[in-house]
Amino acid sequence: MNISNQTKIALAALLLGVGALSFGSIFVRLSEAEISPNATVFNRLWLASTIFGLWNGYKAISGQFSPDKPVEQQSYTSQDFLLLIGAGTCWAATLAFLAWSLTQTHVAISSVLHNLAPIFTSLGAWLLFRHGFESKFLLGMVIAFGGTITIEFEELQTATNEVTGTFAAIVSAIFFGAYLLTVEKLRTKFSLEIIQLWICGMAAVVILPILLLTQDRIFPSSANGWLWVISQAAICQVLGHGLLTYSLARFSSVVVSLVHLLEPIFSAIFAFFIFSEQLSFFNFMGFAIVLIGLYLAISSQVADKSKLQNSFNTIFVKNLLKI
């Protein structure tokens, strides 16, 4: 497989992963009739860790009987353990602070501030790895973030500015940026299923004490309730974050965090079909702005710039012209 095809596959996986993650807010809304957002997160994590555990077990067993190649024993260093534990803790903190912010402030404010993650990811890449950024990337990031504000513009006009919720949303963005940077480092050595097994398991351990302290109901009480949390685990965590983890072998955490800005676009479209929520002029204008910003930013961040641009032209431009 040549580099161009690898780029196309990674880009398709990244877009599909963000699309899967966009169902998260919908599943939380459907499940909140029975359990709290934190309980939904906990069930999402332990169920996903079970799925990834079975996946790893299947690969290990099938590898024992494979005549093609010997089974490779994965070695762990103390640094690996610290990174795996750190990634799980950062992911738990991301979800916990985001859920807290949604109870303290308007959804629009929480969404916009949580999407500050690309700024913190870029800052971390610069501080830790001395990674420089072209002016084209910075311009694209500003445009894309401006698009997310435009998408939520009407709701922001009526939103109140609660300090606690604002702070929690910003902290969730910081932890999400740290999570992506850590997973990017882990992806150079470990497979996506091993990384996600550790992350989901560790995050579930971190979230559980919060549920016990708040005395929230932990498990759903009906078949429908279980359906929504299982969907969260399978679609959002296993498929969504599994594909994001896969794409981090090809794209930097900065690029992945920027593409994550597409999540409110997908969420709005899904909500339109599922809940009949109307899309306004500002929604459509924001969608276009985000796409323009992402194209500028991402096309400047891949090692082989021309090949990524060709991939984008093939996937987006040519297909759009056929419509």
Side-chain angles (χ1 to χ4, degrees):
M1 181 184 293
N2 58 40
I3 296 177
S4 179
N5 287 335
Q6 289 178 349
T7 300
K8 291 177 183 179
I9 291 174
L11 179 59
L14 181 53
L15 291 172
L16 180 58
V18 173
L21 289 173
S22 303
F23 283 100
S25 58
I26 294 173
F27 291 140
V28 169
R29 181 185 297 186
L30 292 169
S31 65
E32 65 185 1
E34 294 187 19
I35 55 177
S36 67
N38 276 330
T40 301
V41 168
F42 172 74
N43 283 283
R44 161 182 171 167
L45 292 169
W46 80 260
L47 284 167
S49 64
T50 301
I51 295 172
F52 281 115
L54 293 172
W55 185 355
N56 276 287
Y58 169 76
K59 288 187 66 176
I61 294 173
S62 61
Q64 295 288 341
F65 299 97
S66 175
D68 298 331
K69 57 181 179 180
V71 178
E72 295 182 4
Q73 297 296 325
Q74 191 73 63
S75 61
Y76 292 83
T77 65
S78 57
Q79 183 186 35
D80 294 334
F81 283 117
L82 289 175
L83 288 172
L84 289 165
I85 293 171
T89 304
C90 285
W91 183 230
T94 299
L95 295 175
F97 277 103
L98 182 59
W100 182 29
S101 73
L102 290 171
T103 65
Q104 299 296 316
T105 191
H106 200 278
V107 173
I109 291 179
S110 178
S111 176
V112 168
L113 294 178
H114 177 67
N115 280 320
L116 289 172
I119 296 176
F120 298 112
T121 309
S122 303
L123 181 62
W126 178 69
L127 290 174
L128 297 175
F129 311 123
R130 297 300 176 188
H131 182 69
F133 300 100
E134 298 180 4
S135 58
K136 182 180 178 181
F137 166 80
L138 297 175
L139 175 63
M141 184 170 67
V142 171
I143 292 174
F145 181 65
T148 63
I149 295 176
T150 305
I151 293 171
E152 306 285 355
F153 180 75
E154 291 176 317
E155 293 184 26
L156 287 171
Q157 287 181 308
T158 59
T160 55
N161 186 25
E162 292 88 353
V163 176
T164 302
T166 300
F167 169 78
I170 294 174
V171 173
S172 75
I174 295 173
F175 276 111
F176 185 54
Y179 163 81
L180 289 176
L181 285 166
T182 307
V183 174
E184 180 185 5
K185 176 67 174 176
L186 288 167
R187 196 66 179 92
T188 60
K189 180 176 181 179
F190 297 102
S191 64
L192 72 90
E193 63 271 12
I194 290 177
I195 294 172
Q196 282 298 315
L197 173 61
W198 274 86
I199 288 174
C200 293
M202 179 56 59
V205 170
V206 173
I207 291 288
L208 182 58
I210 299 176
L211 288 177
L212 297 177
L213 288 174
T214 56
Q215 297 183 336
D216 289 341
R217 175 189 289 177
I218 297 178
F219 301 110
S221 57
S222 70
N224 278 341
W226 278 107
L227 173 63
W228 306 134
V229 296
I230 291 172
S231 298
Q232 272 264 11
I235 296 176
C236 299
Q237 192 65 46
V238 175
L239 180 61
H241 272 275
L243 290 174
L244 256 65
T245 303
Y246 170 82
S247 68
L248 281 166
R250 180 64 183 166
F251 298 118
S252 71
S253 55
V254 179
V255 169
V256 172
S257 65
L258 274 171
V259 176
H260 194 265
L261 292 178
L262 289 172
E263 185 178 344
I265 296 179
F266 292 143
S267 294
I269 294 173
F270 296 149
F272 170 77
F273 288 105
I274 297 173
F275 300 117
S276 298
E277 294 185 359
Q278 297 301 311
L279 297 175
S280 68
F281 168 76
F282 288 105
N283 292 145
F284 286 108
M285 186 168 66
F287 297 167
I289 294 172
V290 169
L291 290 174
I292 292 171
L294 288 177
Y295 181 85
L296 290 174
I298 297 173
S299 62
S300 70
Q301 277 297 291
V302 175
D304 192 337
K305 184 189 303 183
S306 61
K307 290 183 178 179
L308 179 70
Q309 289 174 332
N310 289 334
S311 298
F312 265 81
N313 289 333
T314 301
I315 295 172
F316 289 114
V317 180
K318 292 182 179 179
N319 289 335
L320 287 174
L321 290 175
K322 293 179 182 178
I323 297 176

Short mmCIF file of all heavy atoms in Angstrom, two decimals, residues 48-60 62 74 76 84 183 186-187 189-201 237-238 241-243 245-246:
data_model
loop_
_atom_site.label_atom_id
_atom_site.label_comp_id
_atom_site.label_asym_id
_atom_site.label_seq_id
_atom_site.Cartn_x
_atom_site.Cartn_y
_atom_site.Cartn_z
N ALA A 48 -17.16 -0.87 27.06
CA ALA A 48 -16.15 -0.79 25.99
C ALA A 48 -14.89 -1.55 26.37
O ALA A 48 -14.28 -2.22 25.52
CB ALA A 48 -15.83 0.67 25.70
N SER A 49 -14.48 -1.46 27.64
CA SER A 49 -13.28 -2.19 28.07
C SER A 49 -13.51 -3.70 27.96
O SER A 49 -12.58 -4.46 27.63
CB SER A 49 -12.90 -1.82 29.50
OG SER A 49 -13.91 -2.21 30.42
N THR A 50 -14.74 -4.15 28.20
CA THR A 50 -15.07 -5.56 28.03
C THR A 50 -14.94 -5.97 26.56
O THR A 50 -14.38 -7.03 26.24
CB THR A 50 -16.50 -5.85 28.52
OG1 THR A 50 -16.61 -5.49 29.90
CG2 THR A 50 -16.84 -7.32 28.35
N ILE A 51 -15.45 -5.13 25.66
CA ILE A 51 -15.36 -5.43 24.23
C ILE A 51 -13.91 -5.47 23.76
O ILE A 51 -13.50 -6.40 23.05
CB ILE A 51 -16.15 -4.37 23.42
CG1 ILE A 51 -17.64 -4.46 23.75
CG2 ILE A 51 -15.93 -4.57 21.92
CD1 ILE A 51 -18.47 -3.34 23.15
N PHE A 52 -13.12 -4.48 24.19
CA PHE A 52 -11.71 -4.46 23.80
C PHE A 52 -10.95 -5.63 24.43
O PHE A 52 -10.01 -6.17 23.83
CB PHE A 52 -11.06 -3.14 24.18
CG PHE A 52 -11.38 -2.01 23.25
CD1 PHE A 52 -12.11 -0.91 23.67
CD2 PHE A 52 -10.94 -2.04 21.92
CE1 PHE A 52 -12.41 0.13 22.80
CE2 PHE A 52 -11.24 -1.01 21.04
CZ PHE A 52 -11.98 0.08 21.49
N GLY A 53 -11.35 -6.02 25.65
CA GLY A 53 -10.71 -7.17 26.28
C GLY A 53 -10.98 -8.45 25.52
O GLY A 53 -10.07 -9.27 25.31
N LEU A 54 -12.22 -8.64 25.07
CA LEU A 54 -12.56 -9.81 24.25
C LEU A 54 -11.82 -9.78 22.92
O LEU A 54 -11.38 -10.82 22.41
CB LEU A 54 -14.07 -9.86 24.03
CG LEU A 54 -14.92 -10.14 25.27
CD1 LEU A 54 -16.41 -9.98 24.95
CD2 LEU A 54 -14.64 -11.54 25.82
N TRP A 55 -11.70 -8.59 22.36
CA TRP A 55 -10.98 -8.42 21.09
C TRP A 55 -9.52 -8.84 21.24
O TRP A 55 -8.98 -9.60 20.43
CB TRP A 55 -11.09 -6.97 20.65
CG TRP A 55 -10.50 -6.65 19.30
CD1 TRP A 55 -9.80 -7.48 18.48
CD2 TRP A 55 -10.57 -5.40 18.61
NE1 TRP A 55 -9.42 -6.82 17.33
CE2 TRP A 55 -9.88 -5.54 17.39
CE3 TRP A 55 -11.13 -4.16 18.92
CZ2 TRP A 55 -9.73 -4.49 16.49
CZ3 TRP A 55 -11.00 -3.12 18.03
CH2 TRP A 55 -10.31 -3.29 16.81
N ASN A 56 -8.88 -8.36 22.32
CA ASN A 56 -7.49 -8.73 22.58
C ASN A 56 -7.35 -10.22 22.84
O ASN A 56 -6.39 -10.86 22.39
CB ASN A 56 -6.95 -7.93 23.77
CG ASN A 56 -6.45 -6.56 23.38
OD1 ASN A 56 -5.40 -6.41 22.76
ND2 ASN A 56 -7.20 -5.53 23.73
N GLY A 57 -8.32 -10.78 23.58
CA GLY A 57 -8.27 -12.21 23.86
C GLY A 57 -8.41 -13.04 22.60
O GLY A 57 -7.69 -14.03 22.42
N TYR A 58 -9.31 -12.61 21.71
CA TYR A 58 -9.49 -13.33 20.45
C TYR A 58 -8.21 -13.29 19.61
O TYR A 58 -7.80 -14.30 19.03
CB TYR A 58 -10.65 -12.71 19.67
CG TYR A 58 -10.75 -13.20 18.24
CD1 TYR A 58 -11.26 -14.46 17.95
CD2 TYR A 58 -10.30 -12.39 17.18
CE1 TYR A 58 -11.33 -14.92 16.64
CE2 TYR A 58 -10.37 -12.84 15.87
CZ TYR A 58 -10.88 -14.10 15.60
OH TYR A 58 -10.94 -14.56 14.32
N LYS A 59 -7.56 -12.11 19.55
CA LYS A 59 -6.34 -11.99 18.77
C LYS A 59 -5.23 -12.86 19.34
O LYS A 59 -4.45 -13.47 18.60
CB LYS A 59 -5.89 -10.53 18.72
CG LYS A 59 -6.74 -9.63 17.84
CD LYS A 59 -6.15 -8.25 17.70
CE LYS A 59 -4.83 -8.27 16.97
NZ LYS A 59 -4.29 -6.90 16.76
N ALA A 60 -5.16 -12.92 20.67
CA ALA A 60 -4.12 -13.73 21.30
C ALA A 60 -4.34 -15.22 21.03
O ALA A 60 -3.40 -15.97 20.73
CB ALA A 60 -4.09 -13.46 22.81
N SER A 62 -6.22 -16.61 18.55
CA SER A 62 -6.07 -16.91 17.13
C SER A 62 -4.61 -16.88 16.70
O SER A 62 -4.19 -17.62 15.80
CB SER A 62 -6.88 -15.92 16.29
OG SER A 62 -6.42 -14.59 16.49
N GLN A 74 4.08 -8.55 23.71
CA GLN A 74 4.18 -7.11 23.89
C GLN A 74 4.88 -6.80 25.19
O GLN A 74 4.47 -7.26 26.25
CB GLN A 74 2.78 -6.48 23.89
CG GLN A 74 2.78 -4.95 23.79
CD GLN A 74 3.16 -4.49 22.40
OE1 GLN A 74 2.47 -4.75 21.44
NE2 GLN A 74 4.27 -3.81 22.30
N TYR A 76 6.26 -4.10 28.11
CA TYR A 76 5.87 -2.83 28.70
C TYR A 76 7.02 -2.29 29.53
O TYR A 76 7.63 -3.01 30.33
CB TYR A 76 4.65 -3.00 29.61
CG TYR A 76 3.36 -3.34 28.90
CD1 TYR A 76 3.07 -4.67 28.56
CD2 TYR A 76 2.44 -2.37 28.57
CE1 TYR A 76 1.89 -5.00 27.91
CE2 TYR A 76 1.25 -2.68 27.93
CZ TYR A 76 0.99 -4.00 27.60
OH TYR A 76 -0.19 -4.32 26.96
N LEU A 84 -0.04 4.92 29.59
CA LEU A 84 -1.34 4.26 29.51
C LEU A 84 -2.26 4.70 30.64
O LEU A 84 -3.45 5.00 30.42
CB LEU A 84 -1.16 2.74 29.53
CG LEU A 84 -0.56 2.12 28.27
CD1 LEU A 84 -0.08 0.70 28.54
CD2 LEU A 84 -1.56 2.14 27.12
N VAL A 183 -2.04 9.59 23.54
CA VAL A 183 -2.38 8.46 22.66
C VAL A 183 -1.51 8.49 21.41
O VAL A 183 -1.11 7.43 20.90
CB VAL A 183 -3.87 8.49 22.30
CG1 VAL A 183 -4.20 7.41 21.26
CG2 VAL A 183 -4.73 8.28 23.54
N LEU A 186 1.61 6.81 22.38
CA LEU A 186 1.40 5.37 22.57
C LEU A 186 1.23 4.64 21.24
O LEU A 186 1.62 3.48 21.10
CB LEU A 186 0.16 5.13 23.44
CG LEU A 186 0.29 5.48 24.93
CD1 LEU A 186 -1.08 5.50 25.58
CD2 LEU A 186 1.21 4.49 25.63
N ARG A 187 0.66 5.33 20.26
CA ARG A 187 0.33 4.69 18.98
C ARG A 187 1.59 4.29 18.21
O ARG A 187 1.51 3.45 17.30
CB ARG A 187 -0.51 5.66 18.14
CG ARG A 187 -1.23 5.00 16.99
CD ARG A 187 -2.30 4.02 17.43
NE ARG A 187 -2.97 3.44 16.25
CZ ARG A 187 -2.61 2.33 15.66
NH1 ARG A 187 -1.59 1.61 16.12
NH2 ARG A 187 -3.26 1.87 14.60
N LYS A 189 3.83 2.51 19.39
CA LYS A 189 4.26 1.19 19.88
C LYS A 189 3.12 0.20 19.98
O LYS A 189 3.29 -0.98 19.64
CB LYS A 189 4.92 1.34 21.25
CG LYS A 189 5.41 0.02 21.85
CD LYS A 189 6.15 0.23 23.16
CE LYS A 189 6.64 -1.09 23.73
NZ LYS A 189 7.38 -0.91 24.99
N PHE A 190 1.95 0.64 20.44
CA PHE A 190 0.86 -0.28 20.74
C PHE A 190 -0.25 -0.22 19.70
O PHE A 190 -0.46 0.80 19.05
CB PHE A 190 0.27 0.03 22.13
CG PHE A 190 1.24 -0.16 23.26
CD1 PHE A 190 1.85 0.92 23.86
CD2 PHE A 190 1.54 -1.43 23.73
CE1 PHE A 190 2.74 0.77 24.90
CE2 PHE A 190 2.43 -1.60 24.77
CZ PHE A 190 3.03 -0.51 25.36
N SER A 191 -1.00 -1.33 19.60
CA SER A 191 -2.16 -1.37 18.71
C SER A 191 -3.31 -0.60 19.34
O SER A 191 -3.35 -0.37 20.55
CB SER A 191 -2.57 -2.81 18.46
OG SER A 191 -2.99 -3.43 19.67
N LEU A 192 -4.30 -0.25 18.51
CA LEU A 192 -5.41 0.55 19.01
C LEU A 192 -6.22 -0.19 20.06
O LEU A 192 -6.71 0.42 21.03
CB LEU A 192 -6.31 1.00 17.85
CG LEU A 192 -7.21 -0.02 17.15
CD1 LEU A 192 -8.59 -0.11 17.82
CD2 LEU A 192 -7.39 0.32 15.69
N GLU A 193 -6.38 -1.53 19.92
CA GLU A 193 -7.20 -2.26 20.88
C GLU A 193 -6.54 -2.34 22.25
O GLU A 193 -7.21 -2.29 23.29
CB GLU A 193 -7.56 -3.66 20.37
CG GLU A 193 -6.40 -4.61 20.13
CD GLU A 193 -5.82 -4.49 18.73
OE1 GLU A 193 -6.17 -3.53 18.02
OE2 GLU A 193 -5.02 -5.37 18.37
N ILE A 194 -5.21 -2.45 22.29
CA ILE A 194 -4.51 -2.46 23.58
C ILE A 194 -4.61 -1.09 24.25
O ILE A 194 -4.87 -0.97 25.45
CB ILE A 194 -3.03 -2.86 23.38
CG1 ILE A 194 -2.93 -4.34 23.00
CG2 ILE A 194 -2.22 -2.58 24.65
CD1 ILE A 194 -1.53 -4.81 22.72
N ILE A 195 -4.40 -0.04 23.47
CA ILE A 195 -4.49 1.32 24.02
C ILE A 195 -5.89 1.59 24.57
O ILE A 195 -6.05 2.08 25.70
CB ILE A 195 -4.14 2.36 22.94
CG1 ILE A 195 -2.67 2.23 22.53
CG2 ILE A 195 -4.42 3.78 23.43
CD1 ILE A 195 -2.28 3.08 21.34
N GLN A 196 -6.92 1.26 23.80
CA GLN A 196 -8.28 1.54 24.25
C GLN A 196 -8.70 0.65 25.41
O GLN A 196 -9.50 1.07 26.26
CB GLN A 196 -9.25 1.38 23.07
CG GLN A 196 -9.24 2.55 22.11
CD GLN A 196 -9.68 3.85 22.78
OE1 GLN A 196 -10.66 3.88 23.52
NE2 GLN A 196 -8.95 4.92 22.52
N LEU A 197 -8.18 -0.57 25.49
CA LEU A 197 -8.47 -1.43 26.63
C LEU A 197 -7.98 -0.78 27.92
O LEU A 197 -8.70 -0.71 28.92
CB LEU A 197 -7.83 -2.81 26.44
CG LEU A 197 -7.91 -3.76 27.64
CD1 LEU A 197 -9.35 -4.07 27.99
CD2 LEU A 197 -7.13 -5.05 27.36
N TRP A 198 -6.74 -0.30 27.89
CA TRP A 198 -6.18 0.37 29.06
C TRP A 198 -6.94 1.66 29.37
O TRP A 198 -7.25 1.95 30.54
CB TRP A 198 -4.71 0.70 28.81
CG TRP A 198 -3.78 -0.42 29.15
CD1 TRP A 198 -3.41 -1.46 28.35
CD2 TRP A 198 -3.09 -0.62 30.39
NE1 TRP A 198 -2.53 -2.28 29.00
CE2 TRP A 198 -2.31 -1.80 30.26
CE3 TRP A 198 -3.04 0.08 31.58
CZ2 TRP A 198 -1.51 -2.28 31.29
CZ3 TRP A 198 -2.25 -0.39 32.62
CH2 TRP A 198 -1.49 -1.55 32.46
N ILE A 199 -7.21 2.44 28.36
CA ILE A 199 -7.87 3.74 28.57
C ILE A 199 -9.26 3.55 29.16
O ILE A 199 -9.62 4.21 30.15
CB ILE A 199 -7.94 4.53 27.25
CG1 ILE A 199 -6.55 5.04 26.87
CG2 ILE A 199 -8.94 5.68 27.35
CD1 ILE A 199 -6.50 5.70 25.51
N CYS A 200 -10.05 2.66 28.58
CA CYS A 200 -11.41 2.46 29.06
C CYS A 200 -11.44 1.88 30.47
O CYS A 200 -12.23 2.30 31.32
CB CYS A 200 -12.18 1.56 28.10
SG CYS A 200 -12.47 2.29 26.48
N GLY A 201 -10.57 0.90 30.70
CA GLY A 201 -10.51 0.30 32.03
C GLY A 201 -10.08 1.29 33.10
O GLY A 201 -10.70 1.39 34.17
N GLN A 237 -17.47 4.72 21.80
CA GLN A 237 -16.15 4.42 22.34
C GLN A 237 -15.39 3.42 21.47
O GLN A 237 -14.26 3.70 21.06
CB GLN A 237 -16.28 3.87 23.76
CG GLN A 237 -14.95 3.78 24.51
CD GLN A 237 -14.33 5.14 24.76
OE1 GLN A 237 -15.00 6.07 25.20
NE2 GLN A 237 -13.04 5.28 24.50
N VAL A 238 -15.99 2.27 21.17
CA VAL A 238 -15.27 1.24 20.41
C VAL A 238 -15.03 1.70 18.97
O VAL A 238 -13.89 1.71 18.48
CB VAL A 238 -16.03 -0.09 20.45
CG1 VAL A 238 -15.33 -1.12 19.56
CG2 VAL A 238 -16.12 -0.61 21.88
N HIS A 241 -13.79 6.15 19.10
CA HIS A 241 -12.43 6.39 19.62
C HIS A 241 -11.46 5.33 19.13
O HIS A 241 -10.24 5.59 19.08
CB HIS A 241 -12.45 6.49 21.14
CG HIS A 241 -12.71 7.87 21.63
ND1 HIS A 241 -11.72 8.81 21.78
CD2 HIS A 241 -13.86 8.49 21.94
CE1 HIS A 241 -12.24 9.95 22.18
NE2 HIS A 241 -13.55 9.79 22.29
N GLY A 242 -11.96 4.17 18.77
CA GLY A 242 -11.08 3.18 18.15
C GLY A 242 -10.51 3.70 16.83
O GLY A 242 -9.31 3.59 16.57
N LEU A 243 -11.37 4.30 16.01
CA LEU A 243 -10.92 4.85 14.73
C LEU A 243 -10.06 6.09 14.92
O LEU A 243 -9.12 6.32 14.15
CB LEU A 243 -12.13 5.16 13.85
CG LEU A 243 -12.88 3.93 13.32
CD1 LEU A 243 -14.15 4.35 12.58
CD2 LEU A 243 -11.99 3.11 12.40
N THR A 245 -8.05 6.55 17.43
CA THR A 245 -6.77 5.99 17.84
C THR A 245 -6.02 5.43 16.63
O THR A 245 -4.80 5.61 16.50
CB THR A 245 -6.98 4.89 18.90
OG1 THR A 245 -7.68 5.44 20.01
CG2 THR A 245 -5.63 4.34 19.37
N TYR A 246 -6.73 4.75 15.76
CA TYR A 246 -6.13 4.22 14.54
C TYR A 246 -5.53 5.35 13.69
O TYR A 246 -4.42 5.23 13.17
CB TYR A 246 -7.18 3.45 13.74
CG TYR A 246 -6.74 3.05 12.35
CD1 TYR A 246 -5.96 1.92 12.14
CD2 TYR A 246 -7.08 3.83 11.24
CE1 TYR A 246 -5.55 1.55 10.87
CE2 TYR A 246 -6.68 3.47 9.97
CZ TYR A 246 -5.91 2.34 9.77
OH TYR A 246 -5.49 1.99 8.52
#
